[in-house]
Each structure stands twice: as structure tokens, then as C-alpha cells.
Amino acid sequence: VHVTTIVNSSVSVSFSRAEHFASNRSEWVSIPLMYAYTLHVFVFFMYPGMNAAVRAVVRMGIYVGAKVYFIHEGYQGMVDGGDNIKEAKWESVSSMLQGGTVIGSARCKEFRTHEGRLKAAHNLVQRGITNLCVIGGDGSLTGANLFREEWSGLLTELVQQGLIEEDAVQRYSALHIVGMVGSIDNDFCGTDMTIGTDSALHRIIEVVDAIMTTAQSHQRTFVLEVMGRHCGYLALVSALACGADWVLIPEMPPEDGWEEKMCEKLSATRSRGSRLNIIIVAEGAIDRHGKAITSSTVKDLVVRHLGFDTRVTILGHVQRGGTPSAFDRILASRMGVEAVLALLETTANTPACVVSLCGNQAVRLPLMECVQMTQEVQKAMDEKRFEEAVRLRGSNFNVAVLNVGAPAAGMNAAVRSAVRVGISEGHKMFAVNDGFEGFYKGQIREIKWGDVGGWTGQGGSLLGTKRTLPAKHVDKIAEQMRKYNINALLVVGGFEAVECLLQLYDARATHEEFCIPMCMLPATISNNVPGTDLSIGADTALNAIVETCDRIKQSASGTKRRVFIIETMGGYCGYLASVGGLAAGADAAYIYEEPFDIRDLQVTTDARVQHLPFKSLESLVLIMNENSNENYTTDFIYQLYSEEGRGVFDCRKNVLGHMQQGGAPSPFDRNFGTKISAKAMQWISKKLKESYRQGRVFANTEDSACLLGMRRRALVFQPVVQLKEETDFVHRIPKEQWWLKLRPLMKILAKYKTSYDVSDSGQLEHVVCNRTKESDTSSAI
């Protein structure tokens, strides 16, 4: 049994059924091998990563017991036959991951004719080749599919001409095709990434990095032209990656008057102190009237209107060369393996398919459906239906982001990250002001890339936030979601946000508008959200507490002994009091989770006041959580200590209040908010693709409404309905809280006699060691 593989030219693979099931390879038993197979792989253009695809096909074919052949020089080699078709061994693909294509690539006009395809069929039948693996763009794959459709007729002609025997028609009755897409433009519909795209982006960014030093030292403007006659992917993504000032792509021609707007943007950038401007132009960029926008045109425009020193760099075929990136090597290898598996499972009725990447998974899609959609994109662009072309490139969705609950430092960083990652994922982002109260009132607007500039370092919530829950307003909220065609929700907030998602999840039973992906990011200074160890904003609040405690201690320096009672926020959650007390060196922290009474207060007094040397000037700091006890309130304890401490110490009370919510976010909160928000948007994009069916988004499973939280070492997406059992809704806290194990440590450092739990202490690990099993449950970052 033969399977032939052709790559960049051709690779022919023969499968021996006996060898195929040998060596106890139980994982292959489910793959029936009932026909003679030929795997034929063509590469018509040289892209980084293609050798990795060839290597994967050859070695996977040999692994499953196949005999593999190269067919050199693409379709030309198939038509010419002879020495262009050679057997490939395991060693034939050694040390070939660096780039280019080892089996050659060539255009072939002859294959476009019926006579040329007849010659190709003859050469394949002579070698028992009936399976083709084609690497190329939509033109190459379309040609392969046409060859497949004509196959039976071509064999009949060969019999009539006496070139093959009649029994060959039965033995080689069907031609099977699997495609892999090679294109740096990433212009093939049906796959997230094509082989070669990531490497091309590497080349572009390398060039940008190289010219930035010169441009900044000389105050220059660089116009960078990248490939993309019909697809602006390279231009757009490279512009995002390097922070370009302007980008021009064929799918989205700029509105009339773009020249003045661009010059205003460049001038504004210079006025802010920047010494560098970068404009990226796709080679196929056009205006709304179909007129080409070239890099030289842009240069002349900048020089004429602004007088800036401007240079043009045309990358050209530099983008196609060089060493392939790791991503492209992995992508091509995965696709090559999947292509072999697809061929093993083909039957006479199996349509030609293309191996594609969806998220992080290799999938198989009907070849001609992908080709037809790709061609529809070009047709839409030719007819100046640019919005339709953008839609056909890949489904883009409307995502709404809003803040719920009390403001927390870092919320703005999270919103900024969500907006920019969402836009880069192809979504239209909408900002909702004032939480769900603003949602049902229609305070919704589209938010663009530039609208969130400079948000990272700003405290509070620039979107505004309210504690309003949606349950009483689901009808109005659903109406607004229909109006703005909201396909996903990202909610940034505290405990109220958990309640909001649960209410929206329940509302799915009566309102299909809520059958969409919904994700929540924990953002609250109280750190009382179930399902996460840390929340955005808590670190900034802790810094405020520690800074205040430090100042209070300093104020008492050199005076008589004092007891300071400091009340922190947090509701019923004692996180701020406990962890803040540990960080500030407090003598005691009274919290709701650890009940206390008059005896505990007496212990503190006996241990830390009465036994102090008479002349000691040391002060005591006692931290109270705001809801630590219904009766032993901050005022009561202040009055108690004031009365009992007469003649021994003075007592002072400080209620920190909302100063814990204010201020610029700490570096941790900025970083944490940015990171988890980007991860959440990637999850939303994945869920949108999974739930997009028949022109609409529909998601009603538990795992489509999740909280993204930090659980020990891992960031984990957890369905909010599954968090119900571990939540105390009356007191708005998780039933189990990790930080309670830190309280004995605080007491030990405050000179209390207590025990310390070491059951959760760290263990020695190697740097390269795999993470614990709990991290396996998290989504890949």
C-alpha cells in the first residue's frame, strides 16, 4: 500500500498495512487503512517554516509505516515526473528547520491546462500516488482541488490512450487531498495563522528596532512598507507591536481627509516630546476611491505638510526569508502531523480538507469552503465593500467592558488592557459608564485605542462604577444589548460583580441576550472575592495602610506612650487588617473571621501595655476591621482603652476610610490588572469563536460565565455558579481564605505565644520542574 507525499514539490508516501499496525502502536488501531494512499505535498512559494511542515509530514509518515516521496519543484515536478519524484528517508529531512524549502518551489502554467494535469495524473498513477498534501495559498489549493475533481476523467483518458491498464482505474479510483496554508500575509480564511506569518512579523519588528535608534537620534519619521497586497495583517499587527503612529491597510481605506488627520497626529506626537514617528503602509493600501497609497506618497505628504526629515524603508522579500520563528516551526510541525492523520482517515467520499489553526488547536476544514470565503473577501474589496471584507476576514465581535462595585486602583489598567487587546483581536469594544446602572440607562459608547491612553497609572475608575445589581433591570439591559449587538461582557469589580454575573446567568432562562461569554476580573481593595487569592486594588490599599501606620508611629516618636486604634475597610473580610497589620508591624488585628471578646483585649493590654517598662516610649498599634464585631466596635474599644489607660497611656483613633481606595495604583496592581485582563480577553475571543453558530453567538453553558482568579500559582477560569458553594453571601466573603494562615505569623512577630502552621510551607523544586497539578487546570497563558 503506497501513500505519496509531495511538499513544495512533491512527497510520495507508501503505507505498509502490516508495518502500520506493528510495534504495539495501539493509538493507531482506530485508523483504518483500506486503500492505497499517496501523499503529495506542494509548496509554490518559499516561506519560513515550510521545511518544518515537510519534515513533519515525512517523519510522521515514516512513523506510521509509510513510504514517503518528495516531488520537487511543485506542480512542475508533478507534470515533468522522472527524477523530480524521489523517495524521502528519515535522514532526508534532518537539519532542515532553518528556512526556505529544500524540495524547491515553482509556478507551473502547464498544470493550469488539461493536458498538463493529464501528464501529472499519469506520473502519479505510475507510482501509486493517490493522496496529495499541498502547501500553498488559495490558488495552489484550488488547483489541487480541480485536479481531484477531474481525477476519474483523467484516468479514463489515460486508459483510452493506452498509457495505463484498466485495472489501475479501480486501484487508484479516488484522489485525496489535504492542504496546509503557507502565506506570510495570513490571508487565508479558516485559520488563525498561516505558516510563515509569525516569522515575517519577526523580520518586520527586527527592522523597526534597528531603525529606531537612528530615527530618535536624528528626529526622523520612517515610513515602513510591508507586504500585503490584499491583506493588511502584517501591517496592522506590526503597528500594534511597535507602537506606530499610523497604519494604512487595504481592508480599511482611510476616510477622505486622512492626510490632514495623519499630519495632525504626527505633529501632536512630536509636540509631546517624541523624537520618532513610524508610519506602516501595507503594499496594497488604497484610499476610499481605490487609489493606491504608496510609501513614497506618504513620505512626500509628510515632508510637504510638516517638513519632517522622512525616510522610506521597503522591506520586500526580507520578510519572506530568514530563520523561521519558534511559533512557525511548531505550527508547521503540528499541521504536518495533522495532515498525515487526516489522510489516513480519508475515504472515497471524504472531501478535500485544509489543516488549520483555531486558537491553539489543529482543526480540519473543508478546503473549498475556506477558498471560497477567501475569494469572497477579495470580491468584496474589489467592489469597495470594505466593512464586509473585514467581517469575512474573520468574525469580529462587540465586547462591552464595565466596572461594578467600589472603585479600586488598577481598574483603569485592566480596562485599558482589555480595550487594546480586544481591538487587536478584531473586536469592537464598548465602554459602559457607571456599571449596570449606566447599562440599563444606555450610557454605552464605543471606545477606541487612543481613548485609553495613559490610563494605566490613574487611580479610581475612569469609567465610573456603581453597586447597582442587574436583577431588577434585566429587561432594559437586554434591550441595550440588542441595540448595541453586545456579544460578550467583561466585568471588572468586587463581590458585587460576582452577584451580577450570577444574576445574568440566571437571566439566560428568559433572555437569550445573556447567552454570551461573560468574564469577571476581581477588583476590590477588600480582597473578598471567592475563587481568587488576590484582587486588583488590594495591594494599593495595603500600601496606603502601611504608609499611614508608619506615619502614625513616627508621630508618636519621642512622646509618651500611646495606643493607636486604626480602622480599615473590608466589610466582613479581614484581609486588609490582617495582612496590613503584618506588613505594618501591628500589635494586634481584630477581624470578623477570628472571633474575639474582652479576654482577648485584656491579653493585648497585659502583654503589650502593663508589662512595658515605665519609662518606655513605645507605642502600640491595634488594627480593627470595620465589621470585626457587632458590639466591640472601633469606638467602643477606643473608649475602653481610653478609660483603662488613664495615667498609663494615651489613646488615639484613626479611621482610614476611603483613602484606602484612592491614589495611584501600585506597580503590582498595574501589572496584575494588565496581565489578567489580557488573559480574559483572549478567553473571551476563544469562547466567541466556539459559540459562534449560524451567524450569531449563543453560549449558555456554565463555563461561559467565569471568574478569572489567581489560585495559588495559577490563573484559573472558574464558572461563577460553581463558586456558590464556597461563598458566604450573607457576609460577602469566601468560606475559606488563604491569608488566615498568616495571622499566627503576625502574632509571633508581635511577641505573642502561639503556634504556627507549617503544613503549607514551600518545598524544594528545580527551576525546570513542571508546575503542580493545580496549574494544569488553568488556561494556557
Side-chain angles (χ1 to χ4, degrees):
V1 181
H2 286 81
V3 177
T4 304
T5 308
I6 309 175
V7 184
N8 268 12
S9 304
S10 303
V11 181
S12 187
V13 185
S14 301
F15 290 95
S16 166
R17 192 171 187 182
E19 293 176 350
H20 175 68
F21 293 110
S23 305
N24 295 320
R25 293 174 184 159
S26 58
E27 64 268 32
W28 301 112
V29 172
S30 61
I31 304 176
L33 196 58
M34 302 173 64
Y35 303 96
Y37 281 79
T38 302
L39 176 59
H40 191 142
V41 182
F42 291 95
V43 177
F44 294 92
F45 299 98
M46 293 168 49
Y47 301 117
M50 288 207 171
N51 280 350
V54 176
R55 175 176 175 269
V57 170
V58 170
R59 292 196 168 178
M60 186 63 182
I62 294 175
Y63 175 79
V64 298
K67 189 175 184 181
V68 185
Y69 292 87
F70 288 141
I71 301 182
H72 294 268
E73 308 307 330
Y75 284 134
Q76 190 65 57
M78 191 195 301
V79 172
D80 295 341
D83 292 338
N84 288 305
I85 303 176
K86 296 180 180 179
E87 183 178 351
K89 301 294 185 181
W90 188 274
E91 297 78 14
S92 301
V93 291
S94 297
S95 304
M96 60 175 290
L97 287 174
Q98 287 69 31
T101 168
V102 296
I103 56 178
S105 172
R107 297 180 185 271
C108 180
K109 292 183 179 180
E110 191 174 1
F111 188 77
R112 298 179 182 178
T113 66
H114 182 79
E115 292 74 14
R117 292 191 291 274
L118 188 65
K119 291 180 181 179
H122 184 213
N123 290 325
L124 296 184
V125 171
Q126 284 182 318
R127 294 167 178 81
I129 298 174
T130 56
N131 293 270
L132 309 181
C133 182
V134 182
I135 306 178
D138 61 304
S140 307
L141 298 175
T142 301
N145 190 67
L146 175 62
F147 190 40
R148 169 183 170 275
E149 291 175 347
E150 295 181 342
W151 182 255
S152 59
L154 294 173
L155 294 190
T156 301
E157 287 189 47
L158 291 174
V159 172
Q160 293 172 350
Q161 295 178 14
L163 296 176
I164 61 174
E165 301 295 330
E166 290 189 6
D167 63 339
V169 177
Q170 296 296 325
R171 282 186 287 132
Y172 310 119
S173 60
L175 182 67
H176 306 291
I177 294 175
V178 172
M180 288 185 281
V181 187
S183 168
I184 66 168
D185 292 338
N186 201 28
D187 57 352
F188 191 83
C189 295
T191 185
D192 290 350
M193 287 285 279
T194 56
I195 299 172
T197 300
D198 188 70
S199 298
L201 287 171
H202 276 249
R203 302 292 91 77
I204 296 170
I205 299 306
E206 286 170 3
V207 171
V208 173
D209 290 344
I211 68 175
M212 283 185 70
T213 304
T214 300
Q216 289 177 337
S217 62
H218 292 82
Q219 281 194 306
R220 282 180 177 159
T221 297
F222 268 87
V223 181
L224 192 68
E225 182 180 302
V226 301
M227 284 186 165
R229 284 180 299 167
H230 307 294
C231 181
Y233 181 87
L234 288 179
L236 180 61
V237 176
S238 59
L240 292 172
C242 71
D245 297 281
W246 204 264
V247 61
L248 295 159
I249 62 175
E251 293 92 337
M252 299 181 69
E255 300 288 346
D256 292 343
W258 66 271
E259 298 91 342
E260 291 76 14
K261 292 181 180 179
M262 183 186 72
C263 291
E264 289 174 4
K265 166 71 174 177
L266 299 179
S267 180
T269 302
R270 285 290 179 94
S271 66
R272 291 195 297 267
S274 175
R275 301 173 60 85
L276 166 67
N277 294 121
I278 295 179
I279 303 168
I280 295 185
V281 183
E283 61 178 331
I286 56 176
D287 63 18
R288 286 280 166 175
H289 308 287
K291 181 181 178 181
I293 302 176
T294 65
S295 53
S296 59
T297 300
V298 175
K299 174 192 173 182
D300 294 341
L301 178 66
V302 174
V303 172
R304 184 171 62 253
H305 285 262
L306 300 176
F308 291 172
D309 185 5
T310 307
R311 298 288 188 272
V312 173
T313 300
I314 301 176
L315 295 185
H317 284 71
V318 169
Q319 297 156 90
R320 279 185 171 174
T323 303
S325 67
F327 182 93
D328 270 334
R329 297 185 193 198
I330 296 170
L331 173 65
S333 298
R334 291 177 63 183
M335 286 188 170
V337 169
E338 187 67 22
V340 173
L341 296 180
L343 283 170
L344 287 173
E345 297 173 9
T346 55
T347 65
N349 299 321
T350 302
C353 73
V354 60
V355 179
S356 301
L357 181 72
C358 181
N360 193 40
Q361 184 176 359
V363 297
R364 306 172 195 173
L365 300 174
L367 170 59
M368 290 314 298
E369 288 184 16
C370 297
V371 170
Q372 288 167 5
M373 183 170 288
T374 303
Q375 293 171 346
E376 286 179 16
V377 173
Q378 187 56 50
K379 182 180 179 182
M381 292 177 63
D382 292 341
E383 297 174 357
K384 296 184 174 58
R385 294 183 286 114
F386 300 111
E387 291 77 10
E388 179 72 4
V390 172
R391 185 187 68 80
L392 290 170
R393 281 283 184 220
S395 299
N396 60 345
F397 303 94
N398 297 342
V399 181
V401 57
L402 66 159
N403 296 334
V404 174
M411 275 185 166
N412 296 324
V415 172
R416 172 187 175 272
S417 178
V419 168
R420 294 195 167 180
V421 172
I423 292 173
S424 67
E425 294 271 330
H427 308 315
K428 181 181 288 187
M429 301 299 296
F430 286 87
V432 182
N433 294 103
D434 297 334
F436 281 102
E437 181 175 319
F439 210 136
Y440 80 79
K441 291 180 178 179
Q443 298 175 10
I444 304 169
R445 60 184 173 87
E446 184 179 355
I447 188 167
K448 301 293 185 67
W449 184 277
D451 295 337
V452 292
W455 280 32
T456 304
Q458 297 194 46
S461 169
L462 293 176
L463 289 184
T465 179
K466 295 288 183 68
R467 298 180 183 273
T468 306
L469 301 181
K472 296 180 180 180
H473 311 284
V474 289
D475 293 333
K476 293 181 179 179
I477 294 173
E479 180 182 344
Q480 295 296 333
M481 294 185 72
R482 288 194 301 272
K483 178 179 177 180
Y484 290 94
N485 190 28
I486 301 301
N487 305 120
L489 279 181
L490 178 65
V491 182
V492 184
F495 197 90
E496 292 88 355
V498 177
E499 295 178 302
C500 289
L501 250 66
L502 287 171
Q503 291 179 3
L504 294 180
Y505 180 84
D506 292 338
R508 286 176 169 178
T510 56
H511 296 78
E512 288 191 355
E513 290 81 2
F514 302 118
C515 293
I516 59 174
M518 296 183 287
C519 186
M520 175 205 158
L521 302 180
T524 169
I525 67 169
S526 302
N527 198 34
N528 63 331
V529 177
T532 185
D533 293 347
L534 301 173
S535 300
I536 300 169
D539 184 72
T540 303
L542 285 173
N543 279 300
I545 294 169
V546 171
E547 183 179 354
T548 301
C549 290
D550 291 344
R551 292 186 178 186
I552 286 174
K553 283 185 174 182
Q554 191 177 41
S555 72
S557 177
T559 65
K560 60 183 180 181
R561 291 180 293 180
R562 286 179 175 166
V563 174
F564 291 95
I565 301 173
I566 301 172
E567 180 182 291
T568 65
M569 298 179 77
Y572 288 96
C573 181
Y575 175 81
L576 290 180
S578 296
V579 181
L582 177 62
D587 296 282
Y590 300 115
I591 63 173
Y592 167 79
E593 293 91 342
E594 192 173 285
F596 62 96
D597 54 27
I598 193 67
R599 289 183 293 272
D600 295 292
L601 299 177
Q602 188 174 3
V603 168
T604 300
T605 303
D606 292 342
R608 304 296 295 143
V609 178
Q610 293 182 1
H611 296 168
L612 287 174
F614 182 76
K615 293 184 178 180
S616 172
L617 299 178
E618 183 178 356
S619 297
L620 277 75
V621 177
L622 308 178
I623 296 183
M624 299 284 301
N625 183 55
E626 59 181 344
N627 289 338
S628 55
N629 189 287
E630 182 179 0
N631 296 308
Y632 292 116
T633 63
T634 302
D635 288 336
F636 173 82
I637 293 178
Y638 165 71
Q639 294 169 3
L640 178 65
Y641 272 85
S642 296
E643 179 65 28
E644 297 298 326
R646 287 186 180 185
V648 181
F649 54 82
D650 285 343
C651 190
R652 297 290 188 271
K653 177 180 67 174
N654 291 269
V655 179
L656 300 185
H658 285 76
M659 66 172 295
Q660 297 160 89
Q661 288 183 341
S666 69
F668 179 90
D669 279 332
R670 298 184 196 194
N671 182 41
F672 187 51
T674 299
K675 183 164 56 177
I676 68 169
S677 186
K679 187 175 177 67
M681 284 306 304
Q682 293 170 350
W683 178 87
I684 285 175
S685 295
K686 178 183 176 183
K687 287 296 180 183
L688 283 168
K689 291 178 181 178
E690 291 176 353
S691 57
Y692 187 71
R693 297 289 185 276
Q694 298 178 348
R696 59 167 294 190
V697 173
F698 186 85
N700 65 347
T701 56
E702 288 186 357
D703 64 355
S704 62
C706 284
L707 177 147
L708 173 56
M710 173 65 73
R711 286 280 189 140
R712 296 174 67 85
R713 301 182 180 187
L715 286 171
V716 185
F717 289 96
Q718 302 150 97
V720 288
V721 292
Q722 296 180 11
L723 296 176
K724 283 184 176 181
E725 296 181 357
E726 54 186 272
T727 305
D728 178 355
F729 284 95
V730 174
H731 298 98
R732 299 161 59 87
I733 56 175
K735 292 180 180 178
E736 294 185 6
Q737 303 184 86
W738 66 274
W739 51 265
L740 288 171
K741 293 183 178 180
L742 298 178
R743 287 185 59 79
L745 177 59
M746 182 195 69
K747 292 181 179 180
I748 290 171
L749 297 180
K751 213 172 184 179
Y752 286 78
K753 291 183 178 180
T754 185
S755 60
Y756 183 62
D757 184 5
V758 297
S759 62
D760 199 32
S761 59
Q763 303 296 319
L764 181 64
E765 297 179 4
H766 294 286
V767 175
V768 296
C769 183
N770 290 330
R771 293 291 191 181
T772 56
K773 290 184 179 180
E774 68 187 52
S775 65
D776 295 337
T777 63
S778 65
S779 300
I781 297 179

